[in-house]
Amino acid sequence: MTKGNSLLCQLISAYEEEGYSISVGLNPLREKSFHGGFSCLLKKDLLENIDQPTIIPPLSTGGGISVDEINFLKDILQQFNPEIEYFIGIAACWSTNALGLINPSAKLYGIDNCSEGSEGKQALELAVKIANKLNINFHAYVGASPQDVPQSLEQVIKQGKTIDFALIDGLHTNEQVYLDFEAILPYLSDSAIVAFHDVLNFKMLEGWEKITLLASQFNFKNKILRRTTSGMGILYRNISAEIEATILSYYQHPFILCPT
């Protein structure tokens, strides 16, 4: 595999070698696409001989985090240096593999029921293949949250470990996002960070309010990060002042609007 110096170069190269191009980082306003900022996998052979604007269907399973969200997580996780990371919603593993490259010594665990789109199983197989190629210590479990979360963490529990960082990016409903957090709460470390993708973009503020109410009982602080593409939510407890300052640099007051 051809490797460059940057995380993004390594990640894109790994997917391209498996026959996929990545659409990510486009300005949605300019490109007239809600999904412009997020990662979508496109089969490279569909891009051949295209000489005009053409809609190319992406892999039908879920997309991943944007370039700016990779940079955000890189900013905090290189300081935080988690040992155990956990993911609800793997899809083609773009997000998971990005975070695996950020913290190469971390052990990553994830759960996905492969039900999103017609290519869910194909995407998970691709995810595991690329993780192995990039030497990422990743363990995928096929199952559903919340009921299968304990079993997906069986190795972690046996080792007496807990989750230092989690990314929740499963079914985007107010009910499910709360259930996802409730499922991992007993397994979170005393010092932990939990990120929630798409809270604003998929209108999950009702679920977020329930999550923050529960989380506050366990000493978690919370913010909605309007300086991320998807409007991520984040919970954190017992982290350094430096890491908290980095998180807050992605916060913007909800009443600040840009003129049109």
Side-chain angles (χ1 to χ4, degrees), residues 54-195:
T54 305
I55 296 175
I56 303 295
L59 202 68
S60 63
T61 191
I65 58 178
S66 65
V67 172
D68 77 288
E69 289 170 337
I70 290 175
N71 290 330
F72 160 62
L73 292 169
K74 183 177 180 181
D75 282 347
I76 64 171
L77 293 180
Q78 284 188 335
Q79 296 178 76
F80 190 52
N81 196 27
E83 179 183 356
I84 304 292
E85 301 182 16
Y86 187 69
F87 301 82
I88 294 180
I90 300 169
C93 220
W94 169 265
S95 307
T96 310
N97 284 327
L99 271 60
L101 288 172
I102 291 170
N103 293 104
S105 63
K107 295 179 180 179
L108 280 58
Y109 298 83
I111 186 170
D112 198 301
N113 63 6
C114 299
S115 65
E116 184 176 18
S118 61
E119 299 163 296
K121 290 184 179 179
Q122 176 186 340
L124 185 58
E125 291 171 359
L126 175 67
V128 173
K129 184 175 183 179
I130 291 178
N132 290 335
K133 180 187 295 189
L134 294 172
N135 296 314
I136 294 169
N137 191 344
F138 175 58
H139 308 267
Y141 185 89
V142 178
S145 174
Q147 61 267 30
D148 295 324
V149 165
Q151 192 167 352
S152 71
L153 286 166
E154 186 175 8
Q155 292 183 48
V156 177
I157 296 166
K158 283 183 177 179
Q159 295 168 20
K161 304 289 187 178
T162 48
I163 300 167
D164 304 305
F165 171 81
L167 175 63
I168 294 180
D169 194 13
L171 181 63
H172 288 351
T173 68
N174 285 295
E175 296 77 14
Q176 185 62 44
V177 73
Y178 176 80
L179 292 174
D180 289 341
F181 174 65
E182 190 178 42
I184 67 168
L185 180 56
Y187 307 104
L188 294 174
S189 303
D190 289 338
S191 176
I193 298 173
V194 185

Side-chain angles (χ1 to χ4, degrees), residues 172-246:
H172 288 351
T173 68
N174 285 295
E175 296 77 14
Q176 185 62 44
V177 73
Y178 176 80
L179 292 174
D180 289 341
F181 174 65
E182 190 178 42
I184 67 168
L185 180 56
Y187 307 104
L188 294 174
S189 303
D190 289 338
S191 176
I193 298 173
V194 185
F196 299 76
H197 200 224
D198 291 318
V199 172
L200 290 184
N201 276 0
F202 278 80
K203 298 178 174 60
M204 295 189 290
L205 282 174
E206 181 183 337
W208 177 248
E209 289 177 5
K210 288 181 62 180
I211 287 167
T212 57
L213 181 61
L214 174 61
S216 66
Q217 300 174 38
F218 295 88
N219 301 317
F220 279 99
K221 297 180 180 180
N222 68 83
K223 287 293 180 186
I224 292 285
L225 302 177
R226 284 176 165 80
R227 290 176 182 160
T228 60
T229 304
S230 70
M232 297 178 80
I234 195 157
L235 303 174
Y236 57 92
R237 66 181 177 192
N238 301 325
I239 62 174
S240 71
E242 291 77 13
I243 298 173
E244 182 173 20
T246 301

